[in-house]
């Protein structure tokens, strides 16, 4: 029996905003819901503050923060435009979309009982901007000019330029509300403590500077838009997908999220365990190769173009991910408004002859020797296989001599930002479902990759122009121009767009909403009862 449930999520931006109920945290009972993950959370000498909202910029860590650190706005349960969360209401108050005002809900408190005021919201966001961590996360807020408060409940954001995506940016943890008692204004908070005013409190179990489990307990002082369907969730970290799969089969955990292996997903899809269901949903996750455009070899444009001409995305997807992914020919996923197949339009089908001509015209001696780096523990067990396929494709042309090297994420992410890698594999889970979030974080100044690639036309003219368009379809022409430039310069090479999966035992409800299209983990949706 096939126990897979297919969730047909609406394309982001096409639905009207979903209004969610105000008020408290209902539901619960039946014991803690235990969720398994292979995501790793590690503190290192180079990155001692992995869960500070002003520092962290990866989906894994953000998904811990989103349960505990409240934001003014939030993505709604059913997709669509952001809705108020800590705020009672928010909106632009001028025709130019440069003045954005939020009014806080009455009676907001942190979990410890301290009162939340507009001044605290202001200081929280200014803290992220002031610290300006080397992860590049503060760049999400770079359109803010000044912030003022009016009384205890009104916050006024004055923007440097029109930014129709600003409400989405207020849904992200970098704009989270933190207590100045717990988070110093000028330095990061080291370790794994997290405090906030969200639906849950947070307690991490840590061994050897690595999180082994997190307990989320319903926050009785929470006031916001979310209904919490459980009293407690325990997130258990597993070393690999196989161990996690064994645990759900035995009933030691109730839910599996990121990252299941492709083989594991196929097995669950076949319905081999009548007590475990697989939920498939659309996603906006992408994978790509990044390049240090100042590196001795990868810095040569013709080398990057030749790789773009050789990579066979369809072959890669079929051999590693099967039906769980689709080839991607742009940074912008195919399901978002503004997507263009720019790489296919420029390079067409893979061709050794065309790649050879690109290198020859640039005077590049072949075979080109390169090392491609990947992370061993951040995107799932299939990553190594993916890079083995890429190596075979490039080497088979006779134009490249590729070495691949895997590194744990805690070191990989730091090394990448330091510029230690000429070519590296990364994934991107969007901060919010808009094409801007697949362009600006990669191409704007102070981008999260710390990439030396800089196109002033894109940064100074095209990105600001797209943000002036509240109707995102009206921005499509300029978005296409940006994507075409990326296909020509190849500072990044898009590979594929993936689907998302959640597996759960048959007494767990809410799994269809446990992860949204932006890969936001919504633990409050999970409950116990009849299976869906």
């Amino acid at each position: 029996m096939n126990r897979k449930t297919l969730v047909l999520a609406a394309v982001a931006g096409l639905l009207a905003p979903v209004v969610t109920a105000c008020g408290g945290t209902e539901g619960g009972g039946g014991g803690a819901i235990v969720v398994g993950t292979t995501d790793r959370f590690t503190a290192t000498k180079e990155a001692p503050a992995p869960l500070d909202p002003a520092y962290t910029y990866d989906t894994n860590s953000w998904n811990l923060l989103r349960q505990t650190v409240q934001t003014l706005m939030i993505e709604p349960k059913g997709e669509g435009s952001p809705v108020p969360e800590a705020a009672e209401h928010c909106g632009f108050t001028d025709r130019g979309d440069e003045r954005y005002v939020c009014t806080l809900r009455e009676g907001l408190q942190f979990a410890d009982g301290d009162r939340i005021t507009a001044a605290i919201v202001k200081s929280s966001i200014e803290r992220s901007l002031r610290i300006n961590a080397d992860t590049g996360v503060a760049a999400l807020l770079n359109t803010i000019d000044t912030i003022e408060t009016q009384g205890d409940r009104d916050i006024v954001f004055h923007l440097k330029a029109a930014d129709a995506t600003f409400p989405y940016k207020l849904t992200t943890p970098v704009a989270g509300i933190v207590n100045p008692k717990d988070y110093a204004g000028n330095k990061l908070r080291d370790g794994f403590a997290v405090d906030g005013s969200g639906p849950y409190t947070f307690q991490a179990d840590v061994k050897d500077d690595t999180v082994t489990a997190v307990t989320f307990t319903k926050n009785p002082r929470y006031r916001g838009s979310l209904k919490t369907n459980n009293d407690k969730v325990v997130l258990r970290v597993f070393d690999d997908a196989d161990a996690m799969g064994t645990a759900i089969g035995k009933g030691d955990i109730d839910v599996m999220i990121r990252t299941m292996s492709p083989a594991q997903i196929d097995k669950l899809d076949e319905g081999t365990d009548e007590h475990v269901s697989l939920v498939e949903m659309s996603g906006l996750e992408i994978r790509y190769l990044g390049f240090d455009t100042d590196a001795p070899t990868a810095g040569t444009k013709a080398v990057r173009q030749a790789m773009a001409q050789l990579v066979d995305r369809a072959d890669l997807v079929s051999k590693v991910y099967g039906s769980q992914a689709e080839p991607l020919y742009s940074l912008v996923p195919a399901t978002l408004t503004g997507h263009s197949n720019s790489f296919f339009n420029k390079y067409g089908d893979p061709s050794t002859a065309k790649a050879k001509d690109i290198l020859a015209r640039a005077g590049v001696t072949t075979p080109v020797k390169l090392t491609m780096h990947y992370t061993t523990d951040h995107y799932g067990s299939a990553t190594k296989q993916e890079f083995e396929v890429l190596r075979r494709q490039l080497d088979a042309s006779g134009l490249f001599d590729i070495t691949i090297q895997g590194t744990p994420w805690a070191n990989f992410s730091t090394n990448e930002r330091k510029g230690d890698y000429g070519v590296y594999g990364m994934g991107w889970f969007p901060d919010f479902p808009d094409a801007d979030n697949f362009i600006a974080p990669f191409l704007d100044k102070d981008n999260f990759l710390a990439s030396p690639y800089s196109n002033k036309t894109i940064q100074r003219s095209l990105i600001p122009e797209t943000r002036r368009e509240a109707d995102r379809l009206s921005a499509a022409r300029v978005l296409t121009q940006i994507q075409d430039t990326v296909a020509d310069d190849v500072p990044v090479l898009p590979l594929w767009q993936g689907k998302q999966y959640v597996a759960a035992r048959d007494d767990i409800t809410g799994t269809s909403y446990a992860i949204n299209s932006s890969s936001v983990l919504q633990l409050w949706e999970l409950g116990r009862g009849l299976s869906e």
Side-chain angles (χ1 to χ4, degrees), residues 275-499:
H275 297 295
V276 179
S277 298
L278 182 70
V279 179
E280 174 189 305
M281 57 201 77
S282 63
L284 297 174
E285 170 191 5
I286 69 169
R287 297 285 176 85
Y288 60 93
L289 293 178
F291 298 93
D292 180 350
T293 53
D294 281 348
T297 304
T300 301
K301 181 176 176 179
V303 169
R304 303 194 301 273
Q305 289 180 325
M307 293 177 71
Q309 184 65 71
L310 289 170
V311 167
D312 188 336
R313 295 167 176 82
D315 176 69
L316 173 66
V317 167
S318 66
K319 287 180 176 175
V320 183
Y321 297 102
S323 62
Q324 299 158 28
E326 296 287 345
L328 181 65
Y329 296 91
S330 169
L331 276 175
V332 179
T335 47
L336 282 184
T337 300
H339 164 81
S340 173
N341 283 320
S342 296
F343 274 82
F344 187 83
N345 294 340
K346 181 172 178 62
Y347 299 101
D349 293 325
S351 169
T352 297
K354 290 180 180 178
K356 184 176 182 180
D357 183 59
I358 290 170
L359 294 172
R361 284 188 283 110
V364 176
T365 301
T366 58
V368 178
K369 294 182 179 292
L370 279 175
T371 298
M372 300 197 306
H373 298 263
Y374 66 93
T375 174
T376 57
D377 59 354
H378 194 64
Y379 300 119
S381 58
T383 305
K384 181 180 179 180
Q385 183 185 355
E386 178 178 342
F387 271 71
E388 289 171 343
V389 172
L390 287 170
R391 175 178 60 187
R392 288 196 296 269
Q393 288 182 357
L394 293 169
D395 285 355
S397 70
L399 302 174
F400 285 87
D401 181 2
I402 300 294
T403 300
I404 61 174
Q405 182 174 330
T407 305
W409 177 255
N411 301 114
F412 177 92
S413 57
T414 302
N415 294 345
E416 183 278 316
R417 288 197 301 272
K418 291 192 300 184
D420 291 348
Y421 301 150
V423 188
Y424 51 90
M426 292 276 276
W428 180 251
F429 300 83
D431 309 319
F432 51 87
D434 187 275
D436 176 86
N437 196 239
F438 290 86
I439 288 175
F442 297 88
L443 306 176
D444 213 349
K445 62 181 180 179
D446 302 322
N447 62 79
F448 90 103
L449 291 175
S451 171
Y453 175 77
S454 179
N455 184 298
K456 299 304 181 185
T457 300
I458 290 176
Q459 292 175 357
R460 297 175 182 176
S461 176
L462 300 183
I463 289 176
E465 185 174 347
T466 66
R467 289 173 175 169
R468 286 195 288 270
E469 300 291 350
D471 177 1
R472 304 311 285 157
L473 187 60
S474 299
R477 178 187 59 81
V478 181
L479 289 167
T480 296
Q481 185 177 346
I482 295 171
Q483 292 166 84
D484 288 347
T485 300
V486 171
D488 185 57
D489 290 346
V490 201
V492 292
L493 177 56
L495 298 173
W496 55 265
Q497 174 181 347
K499 300 174 184 177

Side-chain angles (χ1 to χ4, degrees), residues 159-226:
L159 306 183
K160 298 173 185 176
D163 185 0
T165 69
F166 188 67
Y168 278 111
K169 295 172 181 178
L170 291 182
T171 71
T172 63
V174 70
I177 303 167
V178 296
N179 194 332
K181 181 176 70 177
D182 301 314
Y183 295 82
N186 295 298
K187 65 178 183 178
L188 295 170
R189 184 181 185 180
D190 291 353
F192 296 103
V194 179
D195 295 279
S197 56
Y200 297 101
T201 61
F202 178 103
Q203 180 63 52
D205 295 334
V206 181
K207 181 180 180 181
D208 298 329
D209 293 322
T210 299
V211 172
T212 58
V214 176
T215 299
F216 294 101
T217 304
K218 185 169 69 173
N219 173 15
R221 291 192 170 96
Y222 168 69
R223 290 181 62 84
S225 64
L226 303 173

Side-chain angles (χ1 to χ4, degrees), residues 56-106:
T56 189
Y57 199 10
D58 69 80
T59 296
N60 304 355
S61 298
W62 269 21
N63 276 335
L64 299 188
L65 294 178
R66 289 181 189 274
Q67 319 307 311
T68 302
V69 176
Q70 200 173 15
T71 49
L72 289 169
M73 302 287 283
I74 195 169
E75 291 182 38
K77 176 178 177 177
E79 309 298 341
S81 300
V83 297
E85 165 54 353
E88 181 178 279
H89 56 78
C90 291
F92 287 105
T93 62
D94 66 330
R95 292 183 179 179
D97 288 353
E98 295 181 9
R99 185 178 188 271
Y100 195 78
V101 179
C102 290
T103 299
L104 293 177
R105 296 179 187 274
E106 291 187 7

Side-chain angles (χ1 to χ4, degrees), residues 120-133:
I120 286 177
V121 176
K122 176 178 184 288
S123 70
S124 298
I125 295 175
E126 288 180 339
R127 174 180 180 268
S128 292
L129 289 166
R130 182 167 52 251
I131 290 175
N132 193 24

